[in-house]
Amino acid sequence: MKFVKRISLFFIMAGMMFGAGSYVTYRAEQFFYPKRYEQQNEKKPSIEVEENSGGRPADSARADEDVKEERIIEAAVENAPVITADTVYMVEEVNLSDGTITEKEEEIPVKYIGLDRDNLIEALKLYEQNPPLADLKQGFETIELSAFSKDRVVICKYYRREKENSGYYLMVANHYVIVYEEDKETVHMNTDILLESLSDELQKEIMEGKYMENEQALYNFLESYSS
């Protein structure tokens, strides 16, 4: 008989632990995935509970308790919003060298989920102190929080990316040598070098578009042929 009672107690304890674990998991998912449960609640039909002569039934009382608890959680989240798995995570990359801004949406880092505004700012300070190698190679300088809400977070990263060395083309306009950038459309600079003052071979190269691989090669040419 004692053996039977022990087995019964074991199953009762296991059932209680399973129920408690399920409840904690449900609350955690409801907190970190609010949009999922908002959609479920919108689809769930309303249930009317009738009162007995002796007062409201126990099921109605428990339902009210659950509603109150949910409202308390929602109020707390509203007063101190935190990042959830549903938060839109935007990253703005600013190139301080030319002022260009690139904006893109990224998957939110798992380590940021559950953080409020102040905690996220602290996390970004740590990021700035130890940036990834990939950011350092791109000229990373600093990072800051641009916007924060439970629905949308905007992070701003500042880089100083130097323009890569590109070539130039020597071409002709009105009998003078003109320096164009690599696209052959943007004028880089005008020169006072007359095409006729150059050798026939060099004239032919320039008329076809003489390529100068970098800025140093360009200035060596200009020093040699400028009057």
Side-chain angles (χ1 to χ4, degrees), residues 183-194:
D183 59 6
K184 289 187 176 183
E185 295 180 356
T186 306
V187 176
H188 180 70
M189 65 182 297
N190 296 306
T191 74
D192 59 356
I193 303 174
L194 271 171

Side-chain angles (χ1 to χ4, degrees), residues 32-170:
F32 289 114
Y33 295 87
K35 290 184 180 179
R36 180 187 304 172
Y37 286 92
E38 286 176 2
Q39 294 173 355
Q40 291 179 359
N41 289 335
E42 289 177 359
K43 296 179 181 179
K44 190 180 298 183
S46 59
I47 300 175
E48 296 182 359
V49 180
E50 297 181 356
E51 295 185 359
N52 296 329
S53 58
R56 296 197 302 175
D59 290 343
S60 177
R62 283 195 297 270
D64 286 346
E65 290 293 331
D66 290 341
V67 171
K68 290 179 181 178
E69 186 175 354
E70 289 178 4
R71 287 177 178 173
I72 291 173
I73 293 175
E74 290 175 359
V77 172
E78 190 68 28
N79 292 332
V82 299
I83 298 173
T84 70
D86 294 322
T87 302
V88 176
Y89 184 72
M90 303 297 298
V91 177
E92 291 182 349
E93 295 184 355
V94 180
N95 186 359
L96 297 174
S97 298
D98 56 16
T100 57
I101 300 175
T102 304
E103 185 179 68
K104 56 185 177 180
E105 181 178 347
E106 294 183 359
E107 184 176 350
I108 190 164
V110 176
K111 62 183 178 181
Y112 292 163
I113 295 178
L115 300 184
D116 59 14
R117 181 186 182 90
D118 292 338
N119 288 331
L120 179 58
I121 290 175
E122 291 299 319
L124 295 180
K125 288 180 180 178
L126 294 176
Y127 184 101
E128 182 176 295
Q129 294 171 5
N130 297 286
L133 182 60
D135 274 351
L136 290 175
K137 288 182 178 180
Q138 296 183 57
F140 173 82
E141 291 204 351
T142 186
I143 186 173
E144 68 177 9
L145 179 61
S146 180
F148 183 93
S149 71
K150 67 178 182 180
D151 298 319
R152 185 172 183 268
V153 168
V154 181
I155 304 297
C156 195
K157 290 183 176 181
Y158 293 91
Y159 298 85
R160 193 170 294 279
R161 297 167 176 155
E162 299 298 334
K163 185 178 180 180
E164 295 181 1
N165 290 332
S166 57
Y168 304 91
Y169 280 93
L170 301 179

